[in-house]
């Protein structure tokens, strides 16, 4: 199902085959930066944003090596979806990758945000043949479809064409059917429409829901590795530290990880306190590993003490909130 189509020391690209490939290309992307941010919740704040932007830059720098899309500065419409999508830094990545300076840049509120009614953030000046480029963490595809549908409606109204949609994301397969519906609609309405390019970072994860068989989870929020389609490099990276495959989510809260560090860290610590409680009840590392990441070899970790692992991780997470003091004389 995964076909390798590009590899360099910095970046691996795999194509997911078999679903409306003519108008909908799906890829899984792996890089050191995206593996770091998906594995290690201690990466947050500015460091999280840096790594997220770095992988988007790598993809754009190498896009012509594997994708049919030819991006143009005068056609680009960069969507910065507040507050999670802006951290992908697509405007900056396009400037660094191609030397662009005049590509259009628009800020929009996610529809789940109560401020989405702000008229200022709904104004668009569409290029004649629009190439929509954006990134976002998506756990509810309804909002994704809503944002794109608004632009389609506006393009029709103004007699513009939509040529491409390029999306970088951490998400699940749940976004694919709405995106296919968008692609089919665009194909019918815009003669210049070439398709959607969807880039999953490290994997097409699974969104935890009521029937997801995990002891610890946040339904409708957690992106988990159980039953996910993952880059081989990401699977291999799980062996680097034993807490990696036990994390509740590859992203935890996208709303707080970049900008509200105390709330974010509290969420992660609470999970690991729950893991410690499981250890006190007699659950072992091997049980939790098999439950959360069954397709890796637990023997490679040796004998792990779940209680000790949880306590060590909690201690490290608490240190994230200690401010660094730089005194300039």
């Amino acid at each position: 199902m995964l076909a390798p189509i590009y590899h360099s020391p910095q970046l691996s690209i795999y194509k997911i085959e078999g679903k409306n490939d003519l108008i909908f290309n799906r890829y899984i992307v792996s890089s050191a930066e995206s593996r770091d941010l998906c594995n290690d919740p201690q990466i947050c704040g500015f460091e999280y944003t840096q790594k997220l932007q770095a992988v988007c830059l790598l993809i754009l720098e190498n896009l012509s090596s594997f994708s049919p899309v030819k991006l143009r500065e005068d056609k680009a419409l960069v969507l910065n979806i507040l507050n999670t999508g802006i951290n992908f830094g697509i405007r900056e990545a396009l400037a660094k990758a191609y030397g662009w300076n005049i590509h259009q840049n628009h800020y929009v509120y996610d529809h789940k945000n109560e401020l989405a009614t702000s008229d200022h953030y709904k104004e668009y000046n569409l290029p004649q043949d629009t190439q929509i480029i954006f990134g976002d963490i998506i756990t509810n595809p309804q909002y994704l479809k809503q944002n794109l549908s608004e632009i389609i409606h506006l393009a029709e109204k103004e007699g513009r064409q939509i040529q491409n949609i390029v999306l970088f994301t951490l998400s699940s397969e749940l976004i694919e059917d709405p995106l296919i519906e968008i692609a089919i609609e665009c194909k019918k309405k815009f003669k210049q429409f070439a398709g959607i390019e969807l880039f999953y970072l490290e994997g097409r994860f699974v969104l935890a829901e009521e029937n997801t068989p995990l002891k610890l989870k946040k339904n409708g929020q957690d992106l988990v590795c159980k039953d996910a389609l993952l880059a081989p490099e990401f699977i291999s990276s799980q062996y680097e530290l034993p807490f990696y495959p036990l994390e509740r989510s590859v992203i935890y809260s996208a709303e707080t990880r970049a900008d509200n560090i105390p709330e974010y860290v509290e969420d992660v610590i609470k999970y690991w306190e729950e893991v410690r409680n499981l250890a006190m009840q007699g659950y072992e590392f091997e049980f939790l590993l098999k439950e959360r990441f069954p397709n890796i070899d637990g023997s490679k970790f040796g004998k792990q003490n779940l209680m000790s692992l949880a306590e060590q991780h909690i201690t490290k997470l608490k240190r994230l909130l200690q401010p660094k003091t730089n005194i300039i004389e």
Side-chain angles (χ1 to χ4, degrees):
M1 194 174 184
L2 277 185
I5 59 172
Y6 178 83
H7 179 76
S8 73
Q10 294 79 33
L11 184 69
S12 294
I13 308 282
Y14 300 88
K15 186 173 183 182
I16 305 174
E17 298 181 325
K19 195 178 208 179
N20 287 295
D21 290 344
L22 292 178
I23 55 172
F24 187 36
N25 291 314
R26 301 164 299 157
Y27 307 92
I28 289 179
V29 178
S30 185
S31 72
E33 293 82 2
S34 52
R35 288 191 295 274
D36 283 348
L37 65 88
C38 287
N39 278 329
D40 191 350
Q42 295 178 62
I43 295 172
C44 57
F46 181 66
E47 186 182 9
Y48 160 72
T49 302
Q50 275 189 313
K51 288 184 180 291
L52 197 54
Q53 292 178 0
V55 65
C56 294
L57 175 58
L58 279 171
I59 297 168
L60 289 168
E61 286 177 332
N62 296 282
L63 189 67
S64 62
S65 300
F66 59 85
S67 170
V69 173
K70 306 299 179 187
L71 297 177
R72 282 183 44 172
E73 186 176 14
D74 59 340
K75 295 182 177 183
L77 177 73
V78 178
L79 296 184
N80 298 283
I81 299 178
L82 303 175
N83 291 317
T84 55
I86 194 171
N87 292 303
F88 284 75
I90 303 302
R91 181 195 187 200
E92 293 79 3
L94 288 165
K96 290 177 181 177
Y98 307 136
W100 288 5
N101 183 55
I102 61 170
H103 47 304
Q104 292 194 43
N105 192 56
H106 292 267
Y107 296 88
V108 294
Y109 276 111
D110 192 314
H111 280 275
K112 66 178 176 289
N113 191 304
E114 63 180 4
L115 297 175
T117 56
S118 171
D119 292 336
H120 175 70
Y121 290 102
K122 285 193 173 185
E123 293 175 357
Y124 298 97
N125 182 19
L126 298 182
Q128 180 56 48
D129 298 314
T130 302
Q131 296 178 322
I132 303 169
I133 312 165
F134 68 113
D136 200 12
I137 312 292
I138 303 167
T139 54
N140 191 330
Q142 171 189 347
Y143 305 120
L144 167 67
K145 187 176 180 181
Q146 215 166 336
N147 272 321
L148 291 175
S149 293
E150 283 184 2
I151 302 176
I152 290 171
H153 176 73
L154 182 62
E156 275 193 296
K157 182 179 176 181
E158 296 187 353
R160 306 291 188 179
Q161 291 284 314
I162 293 179
Q163 191 173 84
N164 302 99
I165 299 173
V166 179
L167 169 58
F168 307 86
T169 193
L170 280 162
S171 192
S172 71
E173 191 174 8
L174 294 177
I175 67 172
E176 292 188 8
D177 284 345
L179 283 174
I180 289 173
E181 291 174 12
I182 289 289
I184 291 171
E185 182 180 1
C186 286
K187 191 68 176 176
K188 291 177 179 177
K189 293 180 175 180
F190 308 113
K191 62 181 180 180
Q192 300 293 333
F193 184 73
I196 294 177
E197 302 286 292
L198 172 62
F199 294 94
Y200 292 107
L201 305 189
E202 295 303 326
R204 186 177 66 189
F205 297 101
V206 171
L207 184 66
E209 298 179 303
E210 189 66 37
N211 61 351
T212 306
L214 295 171
K215 280 194 168 298
L216 304 175
K217 59 182 177 175
K218 282 194 174 181
N219 295 331
Q221 177 178 317
D222 289 348
L223 293 170
V224 302
C225 296
K226 184 178 178 63
D227 301 324
L229 183 63
L230 305 170
E233 291 87 349
F234 181 70
I235 295 174
S236 297
S237 73
Q238 300 307 299
Y239 300 108
E240 294 173 12
L241 288 173
F243 67 82
Y244 283 178
L246 301 190
E247 293 294 350
R248 198 191 76 212
S249 173
V250 296
I251 190 63
Y252 285 91
S253 171
E255 285 79 10
T256 61
R257 189 167 179 174
D259 302 312
N260 190 341
I261 312 308
E263 184 177 329
Y264 165 75
V265 171
E266 181 183 357
D267 182 34
V268 183
I269 288 175
K270 183 178 179 182
Y271 165 68
W272 279 95
E273 288 174 342
E274 291 173 335
V275 171
R276 184 174 59 189
N277 289 339
L278 288 179
M280 293 173 66
Q281 296 169 35
Y283 288 93
E284 296 183 347
F285 173 85
E286 291 78 10
F287 171 84
L288 209 57
L289 178 68
K290 186 175 181 180
E291 181 192 53
R292 302 200 71 88
F293 216 131
N295 57 331
I296 61 175
D297 183 1
S299 67
K300 291 186 178 181
F301 293 98
K303 185 63 178 176
Q304 295 289 330
N305 183 302
L306 185 60
M307 175 77 75
S308 176
L309 184 65
E311 289 177 344
Q312 290 174 28
H313 201 19
I314 289 168
T315 299
K316 291 179 179 179
L317 287 161
K318 287 180 178 179
R319 289 181 189 147
L320 290 173
L321 299 179
Q322 297 176 0
K324 295 178 176 63
T325 56
N326 295 322
I327 301 175
I328 300 175
E329 297 182 354

